[in-house]
Amino acid sequence: MTKFVTLTTDFGLNDSYVGQVKGVILKINPNINLIDITHQIPAWDILRGAFVLNSFYKYFPKGTIHLVVVDPTVGGKKKDLLIQTKDYFFVGTDNGVFSFIYESEGIKEILEIKNDKFFLNKESSTFHARDIFGPVVAYLSWGVEISQFGPKAKDCIKLNLPLPEIKKDSIKGEIIYIDRFGNLISNISKEHLNGFEKREFSITIGNRKIEKLSRSYFDAKSKQLLALINSSNFLEISARENRADIVLGAKIGDKLRINLK
Amino acid sequence: MTKFVTLTTDFGLNDSYVGQVKGVILKINPNINLIDITHQIPAWDILRGAFVLNSFYKYFPKGTIHLVVVDPTVGGKKKDLLIQTKDYFFVGTDNGVFSFIYESEGIKEILEIKNDKFFLNKESSTFHARDIFGPVVAYLSWGVEISQFGPKAKDCIKLNLPLPEIKKDSIKGEIIYIDRFGNLISNISKEHLNGFEKREFSITIGNRKIEKLSRSYFDAKSKQLLALINSSNFLEISARENRADIVLGAKIGDKLRINLK
Amino acid sequence: MTKFVTLTTDFGLNDSYVGQVKGVILKINPNINLIDITHQIPAWDILRGAFVLNSFYKYFPKGTIHLVVVDPTVGGKKKDLLIQTKDYFFVGTDNGVFSFIYESEGIKEILEIKNDKFFLNKESSTFHARDIFGPVVAYLSWGVEISQFGPKAKDCIKLNLPLPEIKKDSIKGEIIYIDRFGNLISNISKEHLNGFEKREFSITIGNRKIEKLSRSYFDAKSKQLLALINSSNFLEISARENRADIVLGAKIGDKLRINLK
């Protein structure tokens, strides 16, 4: 049966780091189908890594192994984790990158990866993804029992995520992600809105006001701002055929506010 | 039998959009071999998408499904199309991105994708590629009859492509594509030249003149401009080990002119 | 059996050049598993291509074919090579890109690719990777005898690599590669150090001094410079959670010096 391993890293696309990891994995299990998600997580940006992981993992076939390498803090004191949920496996450093998974998936087991008989390089390594995560992922795909990789861990580190402030007639949130099209994605989910969107309200961001929730990116005049619930179920500020980040001069951390009328 | 699906999008490589689409496709048909062409079509640049598609599709095995997502104008009024030609399938939005295919391939059938039983998300979606195109491509690869996906469409939108102006002793054309090496690709094809290249002629672009057609990129002195028929059979202005776009300060839409002597 | 072909090119990710090569290969052998290493080798940067190739090739399964296309100097006088080593095949232009392989691998055979019955396009071509290397790689993966592709070649071009200057109490080297994280990789290997690292020494680069060799990227205070033997066994100057290239204003070719105390 085809086994899928997805790769989400901060390695970039100019060096051979991704290639080295791919080689190590395929040498151990040539039947793995490696799927590149992105290698452009900005270096050390754990929040973005966590957000990206949360947005794609659930679309993959059951049994997929998701390898996430963002700021592995190699040689630091952080643990290497193998997490099993109902449908998936996750492998990476215990630095907060699994924060959203922890909330959204039923976690069955968390292990600390410690058994160096599975490592490519038993000595101290400066390249965890190649020497530890790669081989672990490959042996896992062969069906090695997860308990073989190390002892159980109690918990994993969760990022102190900015949560929206929800009141009776207002919600205050902030921009947590800006995508390639300049769309501004907030930390306000469909669940947080909880019916707000069916009443009259306005959204204030910077010195601009948006008076309704659109159903599509084309539900506004050309170049105009709009707000919608996006494909990941978060409130998003966009601009028709335009970049909302530039229109608003917006950046990560900027506040937005929903007021009921 | 291995089924190939190529992916050409404007999603970029920094977000998880490509990853979400890949997951959806592989969940439905894990035997598909997904081939990334490029995800760097500039946002909303339909002409470039059409040009890129035309330059690679015919090199793939028969039966390959080519998914093209450029400016899907989600929620707009444009149709979603499934096109069958003699050797391939094409899936994408009816926005002109199939213009060149329409000319170069014998089109057997054009369908409007409408049958929401194949959609991931039957409600209005802001992410067509994941919720509609992905599943359609995957079910198509399983051998679902194309008529299942929707009704026949008469035609597809064709871009108003700039055509060269051909006279007895001159051809006027323009630059329609600049590649990563700074090569300037014109809208004048080998067919348009129709023997011109065997006679004495000169090519004028900006305030520069090129006096002959080279057979290779090395058929000029170092750093000098040259012209040749490129690997896609278009007249291209290049510079040996240099960027012709910078040498000439050239951009898309710039005119060039061939004069017989 | 799965056959792997790795792709390392200077084609970039915005055009369809990579896609064309992939299509040609898969049309001839649809069972090949194509692995992208990088397509971002800077145009014409042969040294970087050679360095990248050397850093990943050995992690792949035996029998893997490594296709390297950097500055193919199409139409120039350079040869097209097929190199067989104990475990791998290498295909590319004889321009120095195989310099490190030549040193590190036992080369069994070097052939000049000449037999145009395997070419996609028998006429003069401006796109070697698609018309010559792609088909050769694909037929090779089918098991065609390597002698079929052309006559034996005696040798391949080796770059004039900058070698460190090793004295009794000092080593002078230079930066030959800067990676995505701003790490400065020198031409001084673990072998060149030959025990130096076990004695008291200092490393001078620019107007800065580093007084010891770290074992990991976290063996320094936040933002501080450090030196270590990296995952490819070269001396590397790094900065904890920072970019050493920016801290030092360093670039390729900059000198560094190790002095025993």
Side-chain angles (χ1 to χ4, degrees), chain A residues 46-148:
Chain A
I46 296 168
L47 174 58
R48 191 170 173 108
F51 190 91
V52 163
L53 175 61
N54 189 48
S55 64
F56 77 81
Y57 79 87
K58 61 178 170 286
Y59 295 104
F60 275 82
K62 276 192 189 193
T64 294
I65 302 168
H66 298 294
L67 175 57
V68 187
V69 190
V70 181
D71 186 25
T73 61
V74 170
K77 287 174 193 148
K78 287 178 186 145
K79 296 176 198 151
D80 297 323
L81 296 184
L82 164 52
I83 300 176
Q84 183 177 21
T85 65
K86 189 163 69 72
D87 292 339
Y88 304 107
F89 297 96
F90 298 85
V91 171
T93 304
D94 187 22
N95 59 12
V97 83
F98 300 116
S99 294
F100 290 105
I101 302 304
Y102 207 89
E103 283 180 22
S104 63
E105 281 279 296
I107 288 191
K108 286 172 65 175
E109 197 92 79
I110 307 183
L111 295 174
E112 188 178 350
I113 297 168
K114 280 216 152 174
N115 189 347
D116 66 8
K117 87 170 184 194
F118 296 109
F119 299 174
L120 182 64
N121 194 334
K122 287 187 210 310
E123 298 166 47
S124 132
S125 157
T126 59
F127 193 1
H128 260 38
R130 182 193 71 192
D131 297 339
I132 298 180
F133 295 147
V136 164
V137 154
Y139 287 115
L140 184 63
S141 76
W142 273 123
V144 170
E145 263 298 307
I146 63 165
S147 61
Q148 297 282 306

Side-chain angles (χ1 to χ4, degrees), chain B:
Chain B
M1 211 188 89
T2 318
K3 286 285 186 177
F4 294 97
V5 172
T6 73
L7 303 174
T8 305
T9 79
D10 60 3
F11 291 157
L13 293 165
N14 296 358
D15 304 304
S16 73
Y17 298 130
V18 176
Q20 293 180 52
V21 176
K22 288 178 173 176
V24 166
I25 292 174
L26 295 170
K27 205 173 204 171
I28 297 171
N29 186 353
N31 302 312
I32 282 177
N33 193 342
L34 292 169
I35 306 292
D36 293 302
I37 303 299
T38 177
H39 300 290
Q40 306 265 52
I41 303 292
W44 313 297
D45 192 342
I46 295 169
L47 174 58
R48 191 169 173 109
F51 191 90
V52 164
L53 175 62
N54 189 48
S55 63
F56 78 82
Y57 78 86
K58 60 178 170 286
Y59 294 104
F60 275 82
K62 276 192 190 194
T64 294
I65 301 168
H66 298 294
L67 175 57
V68 188
V69 189
V70 181
D71 185 25
T73 60
V74 170
K77 287 172 192 150
K78 287 177 186 145
K79 295 175 198 153
D80 297 322
L81 296 184
L82 164 52
I83 300 177
Q84 183 176 21
T85 66
K86 189 163 71 69
D87 291 338
Y88 303 107
F89 296 96
F90 297 85
V91 171
T93 304
D94 186 22
N95 59 13
V97 84
F98 299 115
S99 295
F100 290 105
I101 303 304
Y102 207 88
E103 282 180 22
S104 61
E105 281 279 296
I107 288 191
K108 284 173 66 175
E109 196 92 79
I110 307 183
L111 294 175
E112 187 178 349
I113 296 168
K114 282 218 152 174
N115 188 347
D116 67 10
K117 89 171 181 192
F118 296 108
F119 299 174
L120 182 65
N121 194 335
K122 287 188 209 312
E123 296 166 49
S124 132
S125 158
T126 58
F127 193 1
H128 259 39
R130 182 191 71 192
D131 298 339
I132 298 179
F133 295 147
V136 163
V137 154
Y139 287 115
L140 184 63
S141 76
W142 274 123
V144 170
E145 263 298 306
I146 62 164
S147 62
Q148 297 281 305
F149 294 101
K152 286 191 191 185
K154 280 210 190 90
D155 210 346
C156 70
I157 290 174
K158 273 151 268 173
L159 295 174
N160 227 328
L161 297 168
L163 287 176
E165 196 181 302
I166 304 174
K167 294 197 176 155
K168 206 166 51 111
D169 55 2
S170 71
I171 303 179
K172 275 159 88 172
E174 64 180 77
I175 302 306
I176 55 168
Y177 190 95
I178 300 178
D179 76 6
R180 125 107 157 170
F181 302 99
N183 296 318
L184 308 169
I185 297 160
S186 77
N187 61 342
I188 302 171
S189 71
K190 199 176 173 178
E191 285 67 41
H192 292 135
L193 280 175
N194 188 27
F196 254 62
E197 74 277 17
K198 288 169 195 147
R199 299 168 59 186
E200 289 219 346
F201 70 99
S202 65
I203 300 170
T204 308
I205 177 164
N207 56 5
R208 301 287 287 271
K209 233 178 209 179
I210 300 167
E211 301 285 352
K212 64 162 189 165
L213 207 63
S214 295
R215 283 181 64 83
S216 97
Y217 292 109
F218 278 72
D219 197 7
K221 288 190 190 133
S222 188
K223 310 294 173 191
Q224 294 304 299
L225 287 176
L226 61 100
L228 48 65
I229 301 297
N230 74 7
S231 61
S232 294
N233 283 323
F234 284 93
L235 179 69
E236 178 179 314
I237 308 300
S238 184
R240 183 168 168 184
E241 294 166 327
N242 210 344
R243 296 189 61 97
D245 59 343
I246 291 175
V247 171
L248 288 161
K251 54 185 195 313
I252 302 281
D254 279 8
K255 310 297 180 200
L256 76 173
R257 184 191 182 102
I258 307 178
N259 286 301
L260 283 180
K261 282 179 184 169

